[in-house]
Amino acid sequence: MAIVDEVVEGDRATLLAPVTGSSGSLHDEILAGLRRYLIEGNLPDGARIPERLLCETMGVSRTPLREALKVLASEGLVELLPNRGARVRAFTENDIRELFEVMGGLEALAGRLACERITDAEIAGVEQMHYDMYASYMRRDLPAYFALNQKIHLAILAAAGNSVLTTTYTNFSSRLQRVRYNANRENHKDRWGEAMREHEQILDALQRRSGLELSDILFRHLQNKRVAALRYLDDHPSEVGDQGQPA
Amino acid sequence: MAIVDEVVEGDRATLLAPVTGSSGSLHDEILAGLRRYLIEGNLPDGARIPERLLCETMGVSRTPLREALKVLASEGLVELLPNRGARVRAFTENDIRELFEVMGGLEALAGRLACERITDAEIAGVEQMHYDMYASYMRRDLPAYFALNQKIHLAILAAAGNSVLTTTYTNFSSRLQRVRYNANRENHKDRWGEAMREHEQILDALQRRSGLELSDILFRHLQNKRVAALRYLDDHPSEVGDQGQPA
DNA sequence: ACCGACCAAAATGCATGCAAAATAGCCTCA
DNA sequence: TGAGGCTATTTTGCATGCATTTTGGTCGGT
């Protein structure tokens, strides 16, 4: 029942480490630690987060912890019920749709800006990653494929040269990460060939620096990911948690 | 020197009201009040925000106030220097460019989604606002023009049917509001005819429900606004505050 | 046995207190 | 006169304490 006992997947689960106190303010360390802990999906949707327990686990007092919770609430990772404490935010299907749509809009923007600013060397880098990713695809090496996939998207994001965009994108990406961890693995296989073809188009538009095209492809790419993710959630309704009221 | 004395424009300035205590948590009221106060541009860029003073002004203790400041920092409205308190965040020209770019991306997304979901009745509403706005343009009634302009953009945003998008857009819009308050007024006159023509295209694409076109027009519309705003800031460098270190 | 009221235990919201860091003022000295 | 260092004051960061609200459990009534 305690937070540290909720660890489910042994492998990726990282304990909610006590704050080191080595550097920076307590508030920042708590914020970063809690955020990482939540993003990694160590707590099921809707789980209560009692202050007292967290205080003991992290070895700090309630004041900085409460500050961190307010920030996490404003980031959309937890929700605060008045006089009733913090809960892990549970995303509905509609929330997930909205998040994917916004992520798609941000990727589209990144693609558009990247086409205006990317250097030939950076394009060459993306090409290299793309071919490596294709090789992973042919090898059916899903983990390598995922890693390169993410690197490509991040490279486009970086080439856009907009730190506000990067921050915002990362923020939304975090919210989806808990869903993605579960949805990506199995599900993507159905869509793998399709996704690979979309990435061919992404590279092509980027090479021609066609911002409008790249923008549109990236947006549709994300929408397809959304459909895949939601289909997975429908088939495996338990995995994201949401152990709401048991019948 | 005190915050309540920094009120500059008499007209739009709203005093930082003491918290009523009528409803909701102190934290939320403080957060909303401070945010509004900052958005309205009542404090110059870079101004220090001493906790003690704010506490006395709003009649609360430091704990909920500090919570609100952390949230405002995560929203990008203030910046917190370790052990040195909170300052009103000063936006560089690069920050403003990035904000306009992201806003443009979000508007483009809103346009795209709106084209998929908007009803005929909603389109009719936008048409009406558009013609009213055109009338304001012909009358050279700038305030009415601005009000309708904003209503149109908000109507498209609402028609997109994505609350995450709405929240995010509103957040960025807040950050720019301080800049916009100053930049819009005079500067827009140069661009007025051009902006009006862009709005003709916006309405046209919306009527044809051409998501790609609307998306592109809205993005360029925002980029043109950015150029105009930055040009204004170059000509009137003092108005946004930034009374950093006096030479 | 089920439902609601009542009471104890715990949790939240906020205020206050204390130590550490930063700032400002002052004095000394070149 | 101006620069540098020392001290007093202020300010921040965090911990703790208290009042209020919620929660869990028990008891009495139907």
Side-chain angles (χ1 to χ4, degrees):
Chain A
M1 198 85 309
I3 284 190
V4 288
D5 297 331
E6 293 285 358
V7 172
V8 263
E9 296 219 2
D11 200 25
R12 74 173 195 244
T14 325
L15 263 292
L16 188 48
V19 158
T20 73
S22 61
S23 76
S25 68
L26 270 193
H27 166 80
D28 288 338
E29 289 191 47
I30 294 171
L31 181 58
L34 255 184
R35 181 160 40 211
R36 195 177 49 75
Y37 191 72
L38 291 172
I39 288 171
E40 286 176 355
N42 293 305
L43 290 179
D45 282 7
R48 287 197 56 182
I49 310 177
E51 294 179 2
R52 191 77 62 182
L53 178 59
L54 272 186
C55 290
E56 291 165 10
T57 306
M58 305 190 79
V60 296
S61 87
R62 290 174 53 217
T63 306
L65 185 115
R66 283 174 56 80
E67 291 172 355
L69 283 176
K70 303 279 188 190
V71 172
L72 290 175
S74 95
E75 290 178 8
L77 283 170
V78 308
E79 70 188 330
L80 297 175
L81 297 85
N83 288 317
R84 300 179 64 214
R87 306 179 91 88
V88 177
R89 167 120 180 238
F91 294 105
T92 65
E93 285 205 359
N94 190 56
D95 290 331
I96 294 172
R97 169 187 66 80
E98 295 191 350
L99 282 170
F100 268 107
E101 281 174 357
V102 174
M103 293 273 293
L106 295 176
E107 285 237 22
L109 173 62
R112 178 166 194 151
L113 295 176
C115 281
E116 295 173 8
R117 293 169 189 159
I118 196 167
T119 65
D120 291 340
E122 285 171 323
I123 288 185
V126 172
E127 281 173 7
Q128 186 59 54
M129 289 184 265
H130 179 86
Y131 293 129
D132 291 348
M133 186 174 77
Y134 186 71
S136 308
Y137 170 68
M138 295 306 284
R139 270 185 281 118
R140 318 309 285 172
D141 182 349
L142 201 51
Y145 174 87
F146 277 137
L148 286 162
N149 187 345
Q150 189 164 15
K151 276 187 74 175
I152 289 173
H153 285 280
L154 290 180
I156 293 174
L157 193 66
N162 184 316
S163 64
V164 172
L165 174 58
T166 301
T167 303
T168 309
Y169 182 91
T170 305
N171 179 12
F172 286 116
S173 182
S174 297
R175 292 196 216 178
L176 279 179
Q177 193 130 359
R178 304 179 68 234
V179 178
R180 255 203 283 241
Y181 257 129
N182 296 304
N184 259 345
R185 212 174 313 277
E186 282 309 310
N187 174 272
H188 216 303
K189 280 182 179 156
D190 304 344
R191 225 184 76 70
W192 204 353
E194 188 184 330
M196 193 64 230
R197 282 192 296 281
E198 286 167 7
H199 264 274
E200 302 279 359
Q201 296 175 25
I202 288 169
L203 179 63
D204 180 57
L206 188 65
Q207 285 168 329
R208 286 184 289 107
R209 286 190 170 77
S210 172
L212 274 183
E213 275 181 64
L214 180 56
S215 171
D216 187 53
I217 294 162
L218 281 170
F219 182 75
R220 284 191 279 104
H221 183 58
L222 260 282
Q223 295 327 290
N224 290 336
K225 271 173 117 162
R226 164 172 66 88
V227 170
L230 285 179
R231 192 169 51 219
Y232 178 82
L233 289 184
D234 279 342
D235 296 347
H236 307 251
S238 69
E239 300 226 5
V240 281
D242 196 18
Q243 47 195 38
Q245 25 266 43
Chain B
M1 198 86 308
I3 286 189
V4 288
D5 296 332
E6 293 285 359
V7 170
V8 262
E9 295 219 3
D11 200 27
R12 74 173 195 244
T14 326
L15 263 290
L16 187 49
V19 157
T20 72
S22 62
S23 76
S25 68
L26 270 193
H27 166 80
D28 288 339
E29 290 192 46
I30 295 171
L31 181 58
L34 256 184
R35 182 160 39 212
R36 195 177 48 73
Y37 191 73
L38 291 172
I39 288 170
E40 287 176 353
N42 292 305
L43 290 178
D45 282 5
R48 287 197 56 181
I49 310 178
E51 294 178 3
R52 193 76 64 183
L53 178 60
L54 272 186
C55 289
E56 290 166 11
T57 307
M58 305 190 81
V60 296
S61 86
R62 290 172 54 216
T63 305
L65 184 116
R66 284 173 56 80
E67 292 172 355
L69 283 176
K70 305 279 189 191
V71 173
L72 290 174
S74 94
E75 290 179 8
L77 282 170
V78 309
E79 71 188 329
L80 297 175
L81 297 88
N83 289 317
R84 300 177 67 222
R87 306 179 91 87
V88 177
R89 169 120 179 237
F91 295 105
T92 66
E93 286 206 359
N94 190 56
D95 291 330
I96 294 171
R97 169 188 65 80
E98 295 191 352
L99 282 170
F100 268 107
E101 281 174 356
V102 174
M103 293 274 293
L106 295 176
E107 286 238 21
L109 173 62
R112 178 167 194 151
L113 296 176
C115 281
E116 296 172 8
R117 293 168 189 161
I118 196 168
T119 65
D120 290 341
E122 286 172 323
I123 289 185
V126 172
E127 281 173 7
Q128 185 59 52
M129 288 185 268
H130 179 86
Y131 293 129
D132 289 349
M133 186 175 78
Y134 186 71
S136 307
Y137 169 70
M138 295 304 284
R139 270 186 280 118
R140 319 308 287 171
D141 182 348
L142 201 50
Y145 174 86
F146 277 138
L148 287 162
N149 187 344
Q150 190 165 14
K151 276 187 74 174
I152 289 173
H153 286 280
L154 289 179
I156 293 174
L157 193 65
N162 184 313
S163 64
V164 172
L165 173 58
T166 302
T167 302
T168 308
Y169 182 91
T170 306
N171 179 11
F172 286 117
S173 182
S174 296
R175 293 198 216 176
L176 279 178
Q177 193 130 358
R178 305 179 69 233
V179 178
R180 254 204 285 241
Y181 257 130
N182 297 304
N184 259 346
R185 213 175 316 277
E186 281 309 311
N187 174 271
H188 218 304
K189 279 182 179 158
D190 305 342
R191 223 182 77 69
W192 204 353
E194 187 184 329
M196 194 63 230
R197 283 192 296 280
E198 286 166 6
H199 265 273
E200 301 280 359
Q201 297 176 29
I202 289 170
L203 178 63
D204 180 57
L206 188 65
Q207 286 168 329
R208 289 185 287 107
R209 287 189 169 77
S210 172
L212 274 183
E213 275 181 65
L214 179 54
S215 171
D216 188 53
I217 295 162
L218 281 170
F219 182 75
R220 283 192 278 104
H221 184 57
L222 261 282
Q223 295 327 292
N224 290 334
K225 270 172 119 164
R226 165 174 66 88
V227 171
L230 284 179
R231 193 169 51 220
Y232 178 81
L233 289 184
D234 279 342
D235 296 347
H236 307 253
S238 70
E239 299 226 3
V240 281
D242 195 21
Q243 49 193 39
Q245 24 268 45

